[in-house]
Amino acid sequence: MLSSAFDDVTHRLTQTLESSNAGEWIDLDLRIRAGLRWGGDIPPVHTWFAATVDRGLGAPGLAVALCGPDGRAREGALLHVSRSPELLPLLVLRCADWAKPVRAQALAILRAELPGIAPDALDPVMAVALRTGDRLRGGEARELVTERLWEEPATTAVLRDSGDRTVRRLAHRVTVERGLLSPAALAAIATADHDVVVQDLCADAALAAVGDTADDAVLAPLLRSSLGRVRAAGVTALHRSGRSGEAESFLFDPSALVRACARWALRKAGTDPLPLYRAACAAGDTVPCDAPLGLAECGDRAADGETLWTLTGHGRPRVRASAVAGLRVLDAVRFERLAPLLADDSARVVRETAKALTPWADHFPTDSLKRPSDGWGAARQRDAGHGIPAEHGARIEDGRRPDSAGPALDGTSSRGLDSSVPMAREPGPPTRAWARRIGRALRFVRGSA
């Protein structure tokens, strides 16, 4: 009878052991207790536990006794946890039990068992203890397992690869504070780890260890990292090591944080980055992909706006997209000039254009846009059929932002465009198609924000 009644518990326990997730253990505890109270599939613990435990109760049955609503049964089951060490995470949960006798006995058993727990078995125990440490009575178990880690720092070698984020962070913190790894090893972790907390912790520790010395074993991995925040730490360290000149190549980094750090390092060394950006943006076919956006971040709308407009027609899509983003940063967008880029062949350019045109979402012109240079094929007309109707758009008469009371972005007065100068027009796609295409792109950007 009991074997069939424990089938569901056995299945859930197997899944929990495979996942090693603290949340799974907490959920298992709640589900077993709810099943005993309301399910009716498993008989009350006191009717079978005493007779079954002497015959060698398995892990599923012991888990049921440890999690049941009967406090005396939980207290009695704790004495047998050592037979099933895989259930030690449930022992940790009982350390925060509302019943004082259960809690006291669980803490006593945990103190006795902790020294003999292998590092790989300590992983789920520590995960549950850290997760439940903020409970009303969970602090003592958290202190016990944390103390074990500090007393035996060699354990961190295994726990740094834990599947639980909190355990991994604690293991890396102990590693750093105990000086268990070299600066080069810490730099390698910073470049490879996916957790931003671990990245920052290890990168800062590596750079603090080398100080002002130009140690390529540390700086080179940081500067080559695919993670922007790690590269930014390396670029910042270039100045401290007297190598600020090497930051120039990072002026064109894809990460805004890295570009800002590069500009800071160059300025600290007495070099103004603005002329470097202007020269790079005037390099024709060899313009670095992110140079236009970098120019916008430190440039001037009056002096550099036209350069960015020119680059919106560059041959490489990434340069065009960067130029559009730069116009948005400089607040130099003119919707009637930029909107045709919504028909660009590059999805990257279309996304950046839609972001830049967001302030005009309800004010798009419906009849004054020029046809894109690459024509308007049947496929584009089909694509345009999935959007808002044309009547949802409205024409702006003066080219200003909808929320702006100042002069128009194209330099005209607040009275609007000169009506005596006709706007150049060409035969183009139906105005309804243009409005729908613009609306569809803007909804895509809003939905992904």
Side-chain angles (χ1 to χ4, degrees):
M1 174 183 176
L2 286 181
S3 60
S4 60
F6 288 158
D7 284 346
D8 183 59
V9 176
T10 302
H11 176 66
R12 293 187 180 278
L13 180 59
T14 302
Q15 290 182 321
T16 303
L17 291 171
E18 291 176 352
S19 69
S20 298
N21 187 316
E24 293 286 343
W25 287 104
I26 296 172
D27 185 63
L28 177 68
D29 179 40
L30 296 175
R31 285 180 179 272
I32 290 177
R33 183 151 49 254
L36 283 167
R37 280 177 173 169
W38 316 111
D41 294 332
I42 303 176
V45 177
H46 69 273
T47 64
W48 52 264
F49 180 74
T52 309
V53 71
D54 294 334
R55 299 197 300 266
L57 184 63
L62 186 57
V64 170
L66 284 170
C67 302
D70 189 332
R72 293 184 181 88
R74 295 197 304 274
E75 185 178 2
L78 288 171
L79 299 174
H80 306 279
V81 171
S82 57
R83 299 181 184 178
S84 300
E86 66 271 24
L87 297 182
L88 286 174
L90 293 180
L91 169 66
V92 175
L93 289 176
R94 298 286 69 83
C95 290
D97 200 279
W98 67 271
K100 186 175 181 180
V102 176
R103 187 168 66 251
Q105 181 156 297
L107 286 168
I109 295 174
L110 181 61
R111 288 190 185 93
E113 294 287 338
L114 265 178
I117 300 177
D120 54 345
L122 184 64
D123 186 359
V125 173
M126 182 166 289
V128 173
L130 295 178
R131 179 73 67 88
T132 60
D134 292 332
R135 289 185 176 182
L136 180 61
R137 308 170 186 89
E140 290 187 63
R142 178 176 58 186
E143 292 177 4
L144 285 175
V145 297
T146 304
E147 184 180 351
R148 156 77 191 272
L149 188 60
W150 282 96
E151 290 177 350
E152 301 180 25
T155 308
T156 59
V158 174
L159 297 181
R160 285 197 298 269
D161 295 325
S162 170
D164 186 88
R165 181 177 61 183
T166 308
V167 174
R168 293 178 64 256
R169 289 178 176 178
L170 178 59
H172 282 90
R173 187 172 296 109
V174 173
T175 298
V176 167
E177 295 190 17
R178 288 297 181 92
L180 301 178
L181 293 178
S182 66
L186 291 174
I189 293 175
T191 60
D193 202 278
H194 60 274
D195 187 342
V196 295
V197 173
V198 174
Q199 293 169 17
D200 289 344
L201 178 67
C202 293
D204 292 344
L207 294 174
V210 297
D212 296 337
T213 60
D215 191 343
D216 280 330
V218 174
L219 284 182
L222 298 180
L223 295 173
R224 289 196 305 264
S225 173
S226 61
L227 306 168
R229 61 192 307 112
V230 177
R231 293 198 303 277
V235 171
T236 304
L238 286 174
H239 170 68
R240 295 205 307 266
S241 58
R243 299 164 55 180
S244 297
E246 297 179 32
E248 181 176 343
S249 61
F250 292 93
L251 290 174
F252 317 114
D253 193 274
S255 168
L257 178 61
V258 176
R259 292 194 300 271
C261 290
R263 290 193 293 269
W264 173 84
L266 289 173
R267 289 186 181 116
K268 285 291 186 179
T271 302
D272 185 2
L274 183 55
L276 300 176
Y277 276 121
R278 288 173 174 167
C281 289
D285 293 339
T286 61
V287 175
C289 292
D290 294 283
L293 182 53
L295 174 63
E297 289 167 344
C298 65
D300 177 77
R301 180 168 57 177
D304 303 307
E306 195 55 39
T307 299
L308 296 180
W309 279 113
T310 301
L311 291 175
T312 59
H314 196 275
R316 280 182 292 153
R318 286 191 59 183
V319 176
R320 297 199 301 274
S322 180
V324 173
L327 290 169
R328 176 166 52 87
V329 170
L330 278 181
D331 197 18
V333 174
R334 292 170 54 188
F335 68 88
E336 73 282 356
R337 189 173 177 182
L338 190 62
L341 283 178
L342 287 170
D344 195 275
D345 291 334
S346 168
R348 184 192 298 265
V349 177
V350 172
R351 285 194 298 268
E352 288 296 341
T353 303
K355 289 179 185 178
L357 292 176
T358 298
W360 290 278
D362 299 327
H363 301 77
F364 277 107
T366 60
D367 59 357
S368 61
L369 292 175
K370 298 172 67 175
R371 181 169 55 185
S373 59
D374 60 350
W376 186 269
R380 291 187 182 278
Q381 294 189 27
R382 286 195 300 271
D383 289 344
H386 305 283
I388 59 173
E391 56 266 27
H392 283 204
R395 182 176 180 180
I396 285 188
E397 297 297 336
D398 59 4
R400 295 194 308 269
R401 282 179 179 267
D403 56 352
S404 172
L409 295 179
D410 58 357
T412 60
S413 67
S414 60
R415 297 177 59 187
L417 297 173
D418 186 356
S419 58
S420 64
V421 180
M423 181 179 292
R425 301 184 184 182
E426 295 180 5
T431 57
R432 179 180 294 271
W434 265 110
R436 286 175 174 171
R437 184 175 180 83
I438 293 170
R440 180 165 58 90
L442 286 169
R443 285 201 308 277
F444 170 77
V445 171
R446 287 171 174 170
S448 61

